[in-house]
Amino acid sequence: MKNGADRIVDVLTAWGVDHVYGIPGDSIDTTVDGIRRQADKVKFIQVRHEEVGALAAAAEAKLTDKLAVCLSIGGPGAIHMLNGLYDAKMDHAPVLALLGQVDSHLLNTGYFQEVNTPHLFEDVAVYNRSITSVDHLAEIVDEAIQTAYSKHGVAVLTIPDDIPQQKVAAAFQPSAVPFQTTIPTVPADKVAAAVDLLNRAKAPVVLFGTGIKHASQTMQKFVEYYKLPFIQTLPAKGIIPDDHPNSLGQVGKLGTKAAYRAMQNADLLLLIGTNYPYTAYLPKPGRVKSIQINLEASHLNKRYPADIAIQGDAGAVVEEILNSSLQPTDGKFLKDSQAAMATWNGWVKAKTELKGSPLAPEVLFNEIKNIAAKDAVFAIDVGTATSWSARYLPVGPRQSYTISSWLGTMGCALPAAIAACQVYPERQVISINGDGAFAMVMEDFVTAVKYRMPLINIVLNNEKLAFIGYEQQSAGQLNYAIDLADMDYAKFAEAAGGIGITVTNKQELASALKKAAQSKDKPVLINAYVADDAPLPGQIVLDEAKGYTKFGTQFLAKYKKMPKLPPIKDIMRHFF
């Protein structure tokens, strides 16, 4: 007769789960023991911090669109997981978290490490249950997974440690095989109205989000036939290859000037598969017409007023538009946008040829591009790593790009790289982190060593919380509390059992990347000393200009000298 822990593993394997991230401990040990007994079916990946386990699960779910699982003890371990689970929640990734709890007879006695986890996780979870009996444990695990998939979020189960070791007689058949989500049918009347708007537009622009992830070919066909310039949100980067001739990159602080100008000059805005929050970079409401397509109804008409709002699968809706009486534009707006993008790309290319030591970040990312495999996975951390990758790391059709897009949590890249190595063992994995972000999770570099994961981990070492410094400046504030004590991250990597290399110039970097790309069973850490160069917004808007002016005035008054500024030609290019 099986016990509850065995049933948990049975349900997980029925749903295709073959590994779990976590740390064992007293209040989760009976569940972990069930995994041990079926280790041939479910691999236990031991992390060094519960947050890393949760962040790895979140990244895996984002990369694969499949459920990922993490576990921890109750109390402190569960609390550590919250950050990673919020990342999953905010990026709509299906994750199951199994949390331990004190034995049932000790509940509500204020026992050691007893925390009210159902209350604590109420906001993060789309499904949140505390197990009280072994009898329906398997059914609840199955329902939790169903809900995580159908609601694109986090399911949390709190399990008192005495319950999984109890025997259960009844068999249970998981619902994995018959399960499927319902997709709304495409409304013909709204498609006809959308086509009518499209046929009348002279200067349309489209902003794509991750909702087009499984319809990239359809979207390419759409932008090419209709002669449409397109922008992609950062989490959608590379879904349509960055080098597509109609691409204008991203829009916003990390975007391109061409994208900003296209938004300002458009007469029709299409928002497809996105809930883009930075509305200041969209056309002023009421100035242009808008067509919005999204599978999630709550995202329609949320950020921008919609003239036509269509709930449905983006690929299916656009396919219907293409099969209707859609007529291409005359292509003038596209040509103008392409010309602006060509000018931008010329600026970008010139920056990749900068010389000197420490490295220019633009040079570093260009070198990464040169050694990246055709199917590389890029795990990008929050901060300047995000800024520079947005502009200087083109993502191709077979490559993957993952970030913490909505929570924006520092320390997300290394856990994502660990997850990528686990689910894509044959693909090259490159994680890029600032020194501030990497220091938050660096203990788990040894996890990559332990499981012989040949990831390439690059630390952008400028001894500073650089992006926070830029934020302070643009807000008109003097820089404060952003300097970091230097650390020899390469020596750390060697101490952890990996390969560590320090680089300060382009030649050293090229050699290090070549060596890293050849590693087959060890992670490589490249400690790259980079220049503290500000990634200017694609278009400096008035509020930012006022902020930088205020910062400069305060700096001059306090230090009796001008602050270090980007070259005046760069400022002029991004402002006018």
Side-chain angles (χ1 to χ4, degrees):
M1 184 182 295
K2 292 187 175 183
N3 67 15
D6 297 323
R7 295 295 190 194
I8 291 174
V9 177
D10 289 344
V11 175
L12 294 180
T13 56
W15 282 93
V17 175
D18 61 8
H19 60 277
V20 174
Y21 304 97
I23 302 176
D26 56 356
S27 62
I28 196 70
D29 273 345
T30 57
T31 298
V32 172
D33 194 47
I35 295 172
R36 177 194 61 79
R37 287 193 297 273
Q38 299 191 61
D40 59 325
K41 296 180 181 178
V42 177
K43 179 180 180 181
F44 189 90
I45 300 176
Q46 176 208 60
V47 294
R48 293 301 183 93
H49 195 291
E50 292 92 349
E51 180 185 9
V52 169
L55 283 169
E60 177 182 323
K62 285 184 272 188
L63 284 166
T64 66
D65 291 327
K66 295 180 180 179
L67 181 94
V69 182
C70 53
L71 63 76
S72 80
I73 65 168
I79 293 167
H80 280 165
M81 293 180 74
L82 262 175
N83 192 55
L85 296 180
Y86 264 102
D87 181 60
K89 171 194 174 174
M90 296 181 73
D91 283 355
H92 307 289
V95 169
L96 173 65
L98 304 175
L99 310 181
Q101 182 57 286
V102 301
D103 286 355
S104 301
H105 70 282
L106 296 171
L107 285 170
N108 304 315
T109 66
Y111 197 71
F112 176 68
Q113 292 189 335
E114 183 186 0
V115 169
N116 186 351
T117 48
H119 179 73
L120 181 67
F121 284 78
E122 185 61 32
D123 181 60
V124 80
V126 295
Y127 185 93
N128 186 17
R129 298 287 187 274
S130 183
I131 305 300
T132 58
S133 167
V134 75
D135 295 335
H136 300 287
L137 176 57
E139 290 92 331
I140 293 172
V141 175
D142 187 68
E143 185 177 62
I145 295 173
Q146 279 193 48
T147 308
Y149 270 124
S150 61
K151 295 188 175 181
H152 310 287
V154 178
V156 178
L157 298 180
T158 298
I159 310 173
D161 199 45
D162 58 308
I163 289 178
Q165 65 187 352
Q166 297 170 14
K167 301 296 183 181
V168 56
F172 173 72
Q173 182 62 45
S175 62
V177 173
F179 176 78
Q180 60 181 14
T181 56
T182 302
I183 297 175
T185 56
V186 179
D189 57 335
K190 290 192 174 183
V191 168
V195 170
D196 180 60
L197 264 187
L198 288 163
N199 284 341
R200 288 189 279 122
K202 300 297 183 184
V205 66
V206 60
L207 177 62
F208 289 125
T210 55
I212 70 161
K213 189 173 183 179
H214 301 291
S216 61
Q217 293 300 316
T218 297
M219 299 307 163
Q220 285 189 62
K221 182 179 176 183
F222 177 48
V223 300
E224 289 164 5
Y225 172 76
Y226 187 55
K227 299 180 182 178
L228 178 66
F230 71 88
I231 302 163
Q232 295 187 100
T233 63
L234 193 56
K237 180 178 170 67
I239 293 178
I240 300 178
D242 284 338
D243 63 359
H244 191 283
N246 294 28
S247 174
L248 304 182
Q250 282 73 54
V251 70
K253 285 184 180 294
L254 309 183
T256 70
K257 188 172 183 177
Y260 179 86
R261 291 296 175 89
M263 280 291 184
Q264 301 311 305
N265 296 322
D267 65 2
L268 174 64
L269 172 64
L270 291 89
L271 298 173
I272 302 181
T274 181
N275 186 28
Y276 183 75
Y278 304 107
T279 55
Y281 291 94
L282 301 179
K284 288 185 178 180
R287 188 181 67 76
V288 306
K289 298 289 187 180
S290 177
I291 298 170
Q292 299 176 26
I293 304 168
N294 207 301
L295 189 59
E296 179 58 58
S298 64
H299 294 168
L300 295 167
N301 219 26
K302 182 176 183 179
R303 309 289 182 183
Y304 195 85
D307 293 277
I308 298 170
I310 305 176
Q311 183 190 9
D313 176 77
V317 174
V318 171
E319 195 68 58
E320 286 299 313
I321 289 173
L322 283 167
N323 291 334
S324 301
S325 55
L326 181 67
Q327 299 298 316
T329 68
D330 60 13
K332 184 179 183 305
F333 187 65
L334 172 61
K335 289 179 181 178
D336 291 345
S337 298
Q338 287 173 327
M341 194 60 185
T343 299
W344 175 271
N345 286 334
W347 299 347
V348 167
K349 187 175 186 303
K351 288 285 188 179
T352 65
E353 297 168 357
L354 291 170
K355 302 185 187 306
S357 178
L359 275 160
E362 300 95 329
V363 173
L364 181 143
F365 277 90
N366 191 58
E367 290 297 314
I368 293 171
K369 177 198 76 173
N370 291 338
I371 64 95
K374 296 291 186 183
D375 62 350
V377 180
F378 299 111
I380 309 297
D381 221 303
V382 168
T384 52
T386 308
S387 304
W388 298 116
S389 71
R391 296 177 183 172
Y392 291 90
L393 189 65
V395 179
R398 293 167 50 206
Q399 294 173 330
S400 301
Y401 178 94
T402 184
I403 58 173
S404 174
S405 56
W406 277 84
L407 184 61
T409 182
M410 292 171 67
C412 62
L414 178 61
I418 290 170
C421 284
Q422 174 59 34
V423 295
Y424 302 127
E426 302 304 318
R427 293 174 66 177
Q428 182 190 56
V429 176
I430 302 173
S431 60
I432 308 172
N433 344 238
D435 45 356
F438 180 67
M440 293 184 174
V441 295
M442 59 189 287
E443 75 285 337
D444 268 280
F445 185 80
V446 78
T447 300
V449 173
K450 177 176 181 176
Y451 294 105
R452 303 170 71 86
M453 296 175 170
L455 62 88
I456 302 171
N457 188 84
I458 300 163
V459 179
L460 308 178
N461 191 344
N462 50 23
E463 302 171 49
K464 188 174 289 185
L465 296 170
F467 195 83
I468 295 171
Y470 309 147
E471 290 175 331
Q472 291 174 345
Q473 293 174 18
S474 66
Q477 302 160 359
L478 288 175
N479 291 140
Y480 182 70
I482 61 170
D483 294 331
L484 298 175
D486 191 18
M487 176 176 174
D488 192 332
Y489 293 103
K491 283 186 178 178
F492 159 76
E494 296 286 351
I499 299 170
I501 310 169
T502 291
V503 302
T504 61
N505 58 52
K506 180 177 179 179
Q507 291 71 31
E508 292 174 350
L509 175 65
S511 175
L513 286 170
K514 183 177 180 180
K515 179 178 179 181
Q518 293 170 347
S519 179
K520 301 301 181 186
D521 61 358
K522 276 189 178 184
V524 178
L525 187 154
I526 298 176
N527 179 31
Y529 283 93
V530 295
D532 180 24
D533 294 336
L536 290 172
Q539 173 77 48
I540 300 174
V541 296
L542 186 58
D543 285 347
E544 291 166 339
K546 289 178 179 178
Y548 284 122
T549 301
K550 183 180 177 182
F551 159 73
T553 302
Q554 290 189 79
F555 190 97
L556 179 62
K558 183 175 178 63
Y559 298 108
K560 311 303 180 189
K561 63 178 182 179
M562 290 296 293
K564 178 186 175 183
L565 296 172
I568 190 66
K569 68 177 182 180
D570 288 347
I571 295 175
M572 299 296 285
R573 284 171 173 174
H574 289 257
F575 189 66
F576 293 103

